[in-house]
């Protein structure tokens, strides 16, 4: 299909505000080409989630953080696609019944998620930064007590919601992803 | 108002951020009461035992806690933390297990440990109150309480409309960090003058806290000399981080570096510098000091760093009594600050 054909594909209506019920087609506000890719991803998946504005090249890491194993789940990835918003980004589709939106917010704070039903993106899901993250990030402060007391959980708390800044619960060191 | 302190019975002091501004102020009122009612306080902790667990050497803080407990009529069990700690991970007991054990035999525990966050681990493991006497370069809440008590005493019970200078290695000074962030909660219309070398500036997270506090402002400068005349308070800290104990040559080097003359001129308090200072300037220092305050300043009436030590005992007496639930029945909060003739910021 040529680019012109892609550009004249059917318009996609804006995202529904309410999470209620069925098949109101949604867009996530991305470029038209990316919208089309997401629509195609949704069609391939049938059900699950499509995610855009994933940092370019970060899809595999994100799958790891979400504990989604590509050898066991259906995953579709488009890496390093052009993006008006971010220059380049990844687009990701996963066929799972549930997704950890807290982790997604943590590692891809600008990502937009759409739930897929019957091959179509039907509604967006708004991820919220978790207030507390346990055993996902490791404190890098060499003086932190977690370095010498290995039985302790690695706990980070949301210190600044606006900046998405997390700090170690023990030593207050900033999280490094 | 006593209820604010009664609520703290059985709790811990790991960070002042866990206490409300009202609780902090009420504790400082109680500390003032302790100072003027020694006899009434002398049996408040009778029969109680305080364990001191210092993994790092300490003079003032340890003795201050011990003196406070003895003045309350209690007893002190001193555990030499360094003898319990070892690099052998097989035989070294965890903080959790040690504190859990001590909390079965003592009534309150004071811990100083080099690991940042260790006091929180101790508090969670303990069945009795735990007081953080310093966890590495992280927090030192009782020093901040002593600093606040000194400021309130010297500034007529008010923490408002003051220009406060902080000078030294502000990047590594846990006492400076704690003082500034606590003042953000207790004070009003404060302006901070942050004096340090470019490499030792106040951390961004503290500056961010100042930015978020309405009515607060700050400036960063690299010398005391041009700003001394504007200061109401001067909080000096050593350029060598006190949580890392220098020894021998290292201590000498930190106080007389190759560029020590420039460092001393811009970051040193001397009688000559104080000629330009306000007559009611309050000079504080958490001690120990290096060359940043000339010994000739000790006799200047504005020197308040030894007063801090004295008030530190009162604060620790109030803290121990509060956490043990041994508040004096005679304590009348309204009287304390009426005597001072001013309203404390709430």
């Amino acid at each position: 299909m040529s680019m012109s054909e892609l550009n004249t594909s059917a318009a996609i209506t804006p995202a529904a505000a309410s999470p209620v019920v069925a098949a109101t087609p949604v867009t996530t506000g991305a470029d038209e080409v990316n919208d089309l890719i997401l629509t195609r991803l949704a069609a391939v998946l049938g059900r699950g989630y499509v995610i855009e504005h994933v940092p370019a090249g970060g899809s595999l890491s994100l799958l790891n953080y979400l504990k989604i194993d590509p050898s066991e789940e259906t995953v579709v990835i488009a890496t390093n696609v052009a993006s008006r918003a971010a220059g380049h980004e990844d687009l990701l589709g996963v066929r799972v019944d549930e997704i950890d939106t807290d982790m997604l917010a943590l590692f891809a704070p600008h990502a937009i998620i759409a739930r897929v039903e019957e091959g179509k993106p039907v509604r967006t899901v708004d991820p919220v930064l978790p207030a507390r993250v346990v055993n996902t990030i490791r404190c890098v402060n060499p003086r932190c007590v977690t370095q010498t007391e290995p039985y302790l959980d690695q706990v980070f708390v949301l210190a600044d919601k606006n900046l998405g800044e997390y700090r170690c619960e023990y030593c207050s060191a900033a999280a490094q992803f | 108002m006593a209820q604010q302190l009664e609520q703290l019975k059985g709790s811990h002091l790991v960070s002042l951020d866990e206490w409300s501004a009202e609780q902090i102020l009420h504790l400082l009122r109680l500390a003032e009461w302790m100072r003027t009612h020694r006899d009434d306080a002398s049996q408040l902790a009778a029969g109680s035992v305080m364990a001191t667990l210092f993994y790092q050497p300490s003079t003032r803080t340890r003795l201050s806690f011990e003196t406070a407990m003895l003045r309350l009529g209690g007893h002190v069990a001193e555990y030499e933390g360094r003898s319990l700690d070892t690099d052998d991970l097989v035989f070294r007991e965890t903080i959790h297990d040690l504190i859990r054990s001590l909390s079965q035999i003592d009534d309150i525990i004071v811990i100083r440990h080099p690991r940042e966050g260790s006091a929180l681990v101790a508090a969670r493991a303990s069945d009795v109150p735990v007081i953080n006497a310093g966890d590495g370069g992280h927090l030192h809440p009782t020093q901040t309480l002593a600093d606040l008590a000194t400021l309130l005493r010297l500034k007529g019970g008010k923490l408002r409309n003051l220009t406060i200078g902080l000078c030294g290695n502000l990047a590594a000074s846990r006492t400076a960090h704690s003082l500034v962030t606590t003042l953000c909660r207790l004070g009003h219309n404060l302006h901070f003058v942050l004096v340090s070398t470019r490499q030792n500036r106040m951390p961004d997270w503290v500056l961010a806290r100042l930015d978020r506090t309405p009515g607060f402002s700050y400036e960063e400068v690299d010398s005391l000399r041009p700003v001394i005349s504007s200061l109401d308070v001067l909080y000096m800290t050593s350029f060598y981080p006190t949580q890392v104990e220098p020894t021998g040559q290292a201590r000498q080097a930190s106080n007389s570096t190759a560029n020590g003359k420039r460092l001393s001129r811009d970051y040193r308090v001397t009688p000559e510098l104080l000629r330009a200072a306000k007559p009611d300037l309050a000079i504080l220092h958490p001690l120990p000091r290096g060359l940043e305050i000339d010994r000739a300043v000790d006799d200047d009436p504005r020197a308040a760093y030894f007063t801090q030590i004295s008030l530190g005992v009162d604060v620790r007496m109030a803290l121990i009594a509060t956490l043990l639930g041994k508040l004096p029945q005679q304590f009348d909060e309204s009287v304390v600050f009426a005597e001072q003739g001013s309203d404390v910021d709430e």
Side-chain angles (χ1 to χ4, degrees):
Chain A
M1 181 180 285
S2 66
M3 285 300 295
S4 60
E5 287 171 322
L6 284 173
N7 290 337
T8 57
S9 60
I12 302 173
T13 57
S18 168
V20 173
V21 191
T24 305
V26 297
T27 66
T28 57
D31 304 341
E32 286 182 357
V33 171
N34 291 355
D35 288 345
L36 185 65
I37 294 174
L38 287 168
T39 304
R40 293 289 176 87
L41 287 180
V44 166
L45 288 172
R47 61 173 175 83
Y49 295 88
V50 290
I51 308 167
E52 62 172 324
H53 298 331
V54 177
S59 291
L60 292 178
S61 296
L62 182 58
L63 288 172
N64 191 37
Y65 288 128
L66 294 175
K67 294 184 172 48
I68 296 174
D69 185 348
S71 68
E72 294 187 1
E73 308 289 351
T74 299
V75 175
V76 187
I77 302 175
T79 63
N80 214 29
V81 299
S83 165
R84 196 174 296 156
H88 290 86
E89 65 182 49
D90 284 4
L91 304 172
L92 180 62
V94 292
R95 185 188 292 166
V96 293
D97 294 323
E98 290 181 353
I99 197 167
D100 190 340
T101 53
D102 288 352
M103 284 298 114
L104 187 63
L106 188 65
F107 294 106
H110 303 295
I112 299 177
I113 318 164
R115 182 162 178 83
V116 173
E117 293 175 2
E118 297 180 356
K120 295 177 183 175
V122 295
R123 62 179 170 87
T124 55
V125 177
D126 293 325
V128 176
L129 286 171
R132 209 162 175 261
V133 178
V134 181
N135 291 332
T136 303
I137 315 167
R138 187 158 191 86
C139 186
V140 298
N141 177 11
R143 299 178 299 277
C144 181
V145 67
T146 58
Q147 306 293 345
T148 52
E149 306 284 316
Y151 57 91
L152 295 174
D153 287 329
Q154 295 279 337
V155 182
F156 282 78
V157 295
L158 183 60
D160 190 316
K161 187 177 176 183
N162 293 330
L163 298 175
E165 181 184 78
Y166 283 84
R167 290 194 171 269
C168 175
E169 185 177 56
Y170 292 102
C171 71
S172 305
Q176 293 185 21
F177 296 91
Chain B
M1 286 190 282
Q3 285 181 347
Q4 294 271 357
L5 294 181
E6 287 167 359
Q7 290 169 355
L8 293 170
K9 177 184 177 181
S11 63
H12 311 285
L13 178 57
V14 174
S15 164
L16 285 172
D17 283 348
E18 298 160 2
W19 288 24
S20 69
E22 290 74 19
Q23 287 171 328
I24 294 171
L25 289 170
H26 293 320
L27 187 85
L28 294 173
R29 288 191 176 99
L30 181 59
E32 183 65 25
W33 183 92
M34 292 287 182
R35 186 170 191 80
T36 55
H37 295 79
R38 286 273 192 258
D39 288 342
D40 291 332
S42 65
Q43 293 300 310
L44 286 177
S48 297
V49 181
M50 179 179 77
T52 60
L53 191 59
F54 278 71
Y55 283 81
Q56 286 176 302
S58 169
T59 306
R60 267 160 292 274
T61 304
R62 183 172 59 82
L63 292 177
S64 182
F65 271 110
E66 292 178 3
T67 302
M69 189 60 171
L70 292 173
R71 285 225 171 111
L72 289 171
H75 304 276
V76 178
E78 182 183 345
Y79 295 88
E80 186 62 45
R82 282 177 297 170
S83 68
L84 296 169
D85 198 24
T86 169
D87 290 336
D88 188 334
L89 292 178
V90 174
F91 292 105
R92 182 174 64 82
E93 189 172 18
T94 63
I95 295 174
H96 175 279
D97 286 356
L98 180 60
I99 295 297
R100 189 74 186 263
S101 301
L102 293 183
S103 70
Q104 309 307 309
I105 56 180
D106 297 307
D107 301 296
I108 187 167
I109 296 172
V110 177
I111 181 171
R112 169 174 282 188
H113 194 284
R115 286 284 164 182
E116 298 173 7
S118 52
L120 180 59
V121 176
R124 288 179 172 168
S126 177
D127 294 332
V128 302
V130 169
I131 299 175
N132 181 6
D135 59 335
H138 188 218
L139 299 170
H140 194 350
T142 61
Q143 179 64 52
T144 299
L145 289 171
D147 296 341
L148 290 171
T150 308
L151 286 180
L152 284 170
R153 169 170 278 266
L154 296 178
K155 293 302 168 184
K158 290 182 189 293
L159 294 173
R160 76 168 57 228
N161 302 326
L162 297 172
T163 299
I164 300 175
L166 292 97
C167 177
N169 185 349
L170 301 183
S173 174
R174 63 189 172 195
T175 58
H177 306 162
S178 184
L179 179 62
V180 170
T181 54
T182 308
L183 283 172
C184 285
R185 300 169 60 205
L186 301 183
H188 297 276
N189 296 325
L190 300 181
H191 176 70
F192 291 87
V193 181
L194 306 173
V195 186
S196 69
T197 60
R198 198 164 294 126
Q199 304 92 318
N200 297 313
R201 291 257 162 97
M202 188 70 85
D204 286 342
W205 67 270
V206 178
L207 299 180
R209 189 75 179 263
L210 286 169
D211 286 332
R212 290 198 299 267
T213 307
F216 277 47
S217 58
Y218 69 89
E219 58 182 299
E220 294 182 285
V221 301
D222 59 7
S223 175
L224 263 177
R225 293 177 169 269
V227 299
I228 187 67
S229 61
S230 67
L231 302 180
D232 300 300
V233 177
L234 175 57
Y235 191 88
M236 296 294 295
T237 67
S238 173
F239 264 92
Y240 199 102
T242 55
Q243 67 275 16
V244 178
E245 290 289 336
T247 57
Q249 288 183 332
R251 181 187 283 274
Q252 286 184 346
S254 70
N255 287 334
S256 56
T257 57
N259 61 346
K261 279 189 178 177
R262 181 184 178 279
L263 187 71
S264 295
R265 248 171 62 89
D266 293 321
Y267 310 108
R268 197 172 172 200
V269 180
T270 62
E272 177 246 332
L273 179 76
L274 291 180
R275 282 194 214 119
K278 291 183 180 179
D280 61 346
L281 171 70
I283 305 170
L284 280 67
H285 192 305
L287 301 178
R289 62 174 160 181
L291 291 178
E292 59 271 8
I293 299 182
D294 194 292
R295 268 137 184 83
V297 174
D298 293 354
D299 295 328
D300 190 306
R302 293 170 287 192
Y305 31 93
F306 293 117
T307 302
Q308 279 174 274
I309 298 173
S310 173
L311 293 174
V313 174
D314 303 328
V315 158
R316 290 178 174 102
M317 288 174 68
L319 179 61
I320 293 167
T322 297
L323 298 185
L324 286 175
K326 308 282 189 183
L327 293 174
Q329 291 179 347
Q330 311 92 319
F331 176 48
D332 179 349
E333 295 179 55
S334 63
V335 170
V336 171
F337 277 83
E339 288 174 347
Q340 291 185 342
S342 57
D343 295 327
V344 179
D345 295 284
E346 299 281 350

